[in-house]
Amino acid sequence: MEEGSILVKGDFSLLLRSGVDLDGINKHDVKKTVTVQMEKPLIEDRLVNEGNLEEEFKRLEIAEEDRVIGYISWKLYWHYMRAGMRCILAVAVITLFLIVQGSLILPDWWLLHLTSRSHDQQHQLEDLYIYGGLVGGAVLLSIIRAAVFLNALINSSNRLHNSMLSSILKAPVLFFDTNPVGRILNRFSRDIGIVDELLPDVFLDAVQMVLFCVGAVVFPSILNPWIILPATPLMIIFVLIGRYYLKTSRDLRRLEGVNRSPVLSHFSDTLMGLVTIRAYKREDAFLKALYRCQDDHNQIWFSILSTTKWLGFRIDMICVSFVSFVVFLAIATQSGSD
């Protein structure tokens, strides 16, 4: 047969005598056989490709934003400081903090020393010069400490920003397909803004307050050891309250950062598809979606404000209790000595 029509009919010897090109027919059959055999691998490859496409579609899905759970390790603070200064400079800054705290205590110690003198000796002009020199030195060292520390943290912020920007520029296209624009903007706007503006001042104030509290407890305890009795339980209560607050505040801050990204993403997507939204008259739906995102973010933000007020009230009560104990002990010891 050839192209559906019978050319010769008979046995093999008749076919040989008829002069039909059997070699061409055999080659044609072999070609068909090869074609049929090749169709199976193509079908299998197509199925494999469809499976790969499903995996690719899963990879292209927008993943939920990661949120770290647990406490912040001290290594993170150390790496943050090391990003802006060398190890030797970091140790020097820590030493400078201790020296400055000692210089802040020296004027109080000098006044205490003057009160132990007689009335005539307290009117010497040299003592006033010494006191002024101690105060001026403490102020100068405080300014140097703040300048060095803030400069180091600004350098840390600059290097962290450049490192993140370099990673974004070198990221594959899949990264931008699976991460919304609002999430990336949130990292470069709000988070970097906190690292640039808020974190250096808060970090400096936190270190100063810790050293101030230690000095406020240690120095009076040297003069009047009875202060250790009320200070010890109050410090334990303060540590317990602080740890309890940090567990809640830390997670609330992380939730606030995660819930801020949908607001920016929705706003960015709305601007990009504004023509389509107006064409299909979906303004109300997108506006309601924006309000929902804002409500979720505002709930977390008001919770943060509430926890801050909660902590502030309890710290004030602890400070009032400590000052009251110190005053009563000072009066009691003074009356006992008289």
Side-chain angles (χ1 to χ4, degrees):
M1 295 185 66
E2 185 176 2
E3 296 180 357
S5 60
I6 300 174
L7 297 178
V8 179
K9 184 178 181 182
D11 55 2
F12 185 73
S13 59
L14 181 60
L15 293 176
L16 291 176
R17 290 194 300 269
S18 64
V20 178
D21 188 8
L22 296 177
D23 294 333
I25 296 175
N26 291 332
K27 291 180 180 179
H28 184 68
D29 293 336
V30 171
K31 185 177 181 181
K32 287 184 178 180
T33 304
V34 173
T35 304
V36 173
Q37 291 178 354
M38 289 296 293
E39 287 180 355
K40 291 184 178 180
L42 290 175
I43 295 173
E44 293 177 357
D45 292 340
R46 187 180 300 171
L47 294 175
V48 173
N49 291 331
E50 289 179 357
N52 293 333
L53 287 176
E54 292 180 358
E55 294 179 358
E56 289 293 332
F57 287 145
K58 291 181 180 179
R59 292 177 58 190
L60 291 175
E61 292 180 355
I62 297 177
E64 295 183 359
E65 190 169 359
D66 295 333
R67 182 170 63 91
V68 180
I69 299 175
Y71 68 95
I72 300 174
S73 63
W74 291 101
K75 291 182 180 179
L76 182 61
Y77 294 106
W78 177 251
H79 290 320
Y80 173 63
M81 293 184 62
R82 287 281 291 107
M85 65 183 79
R86 296 181 179 179
C87 184
I88 299 176
L89 184 59
V91 175
V93 170
I94 295 174
T95 306
L96 181 61
F97 268 94
L98 298 177
I99 294 174
V100 172
Q101 186 60 35
S103 66
L104 293 175
I105 297 176
L106 283 178
D108 296 333
W109 174 82
W110 182 252
L111 289 178
L112 180 64
H113 176 69
L114 290 180
T115 56
S116 62
R117 294 183 178 183
S118 61
H119 182 72
D120 296 333
Q121 293 177 347
Q122 293 180 4
H123 289 79
Q124 295 180 3
L125 192 60
E126 296 178 355
D127 296 334
L128 181 61
Y129 290 154
I130 294 174
Y131 179 75
L134 292 176
V135 173
V139 172
L140 181 61
L141 289 176
S142 299
I143 294 174
I144 295 174
R145 176 192 62 181
V148 173
F149 188 73
L150 292 178
N151 186 35
L153 294 188
I154 290 173
N155 290 334
S156 300
S157 175
N158 188 19
R159 291 185 180 180
L160 291 175
H161 174 269
N162 293 337
S163 177
M164 186 170 64
L165 180 61
S166 177
S167 300
I168 289 293
L169 294 177
K170 296 177 182 178
V173 180
L174 180 62
F175 174 81
F176 298 97
D177 292 334
T178 56
N179 290 276
V181 178
R183 187 179 300 174
I184 300 174
L185 289 176
N186 186 19
R187 295 293 170 267
F188 277 95
S189 58
R190 175 65 177 174
D191 293 349
I192 292 296
I194 291 176
V195 175
D196 288 339
E197 301 174 2
L198 185 61
L199 188 57
D201 294 335
V202 173
F203 204 168
L204 179 61
D205 292 339
V207 176
Q208 287 179 347
M209 290 303 298
V210 169
L211 294 176
F212 176 78
C213 292
V214 173
V217 173
V218 172
F219 185 67
S221 299
I222 296 174
L223 301 177
N224 190 355
W226 291 103
I227 297 177
I228 300 176
L229 295 178
T232 302
L234 290 177
M235 288 295 294
I236 295 174
I237 295 173
F238 176 78
V239 171
L240 293 176
I241 291 176
R243 293 181 63 182
Y244 183 78
Y245 165 77
L246 285 177
K247 290 181 180 179
T248 305
S249 176
R250 190 185 300 119
D251 290 335
L252 286 176
R253 288 288 181 180
R254 290 166 177 167
L255 283 174
E256 190 268 335
V258 172
N259 284 275
R260 192 190 316 112
S261 297
V263 178
L264 298 176
S265 298
H266 187 275
F267 188 75
S268 176
D269 295 340
T270 303
L271 291 179
M272 293 176 63
L274 190 59
V275 177
T276 306
I277 294 171
R278 289 178 176 176
Y280 286 92
K281 297 181 179 180
R282 300 292 296 173
E283 296 91 342
D284 294 336
F286 274 78
L287 190 61
K288 291 179 181 179
L290 178 62
Y291 288 159
R292 285 195 299 269
C293 295
Q294 286 182 335
D295 290 340
D296 294 338
H297 177 261
N298 290 335
Q299 289 176 1
I300 304 299
W301 182 251
F302 280 112
S303 299
I304 292 174
L305 296 179
S306 300
T307 54
T308 304
K309 298 297 182 182
W310 180 89
L311 178 66
F313 174 75
R314 280 154 181 79
I315 290 178
D316 291 340
M317 295 300 296
I318 292 175
C319 293
V320 170
S321 301
F322 180 72
V323 172
S324 301
F325 276 119
V326 171
V327 171
F328 285 125
L329 285 175
I331 295 173
T333 54
Q334 184 67 27
S335 60
S337 61
D338 293 339

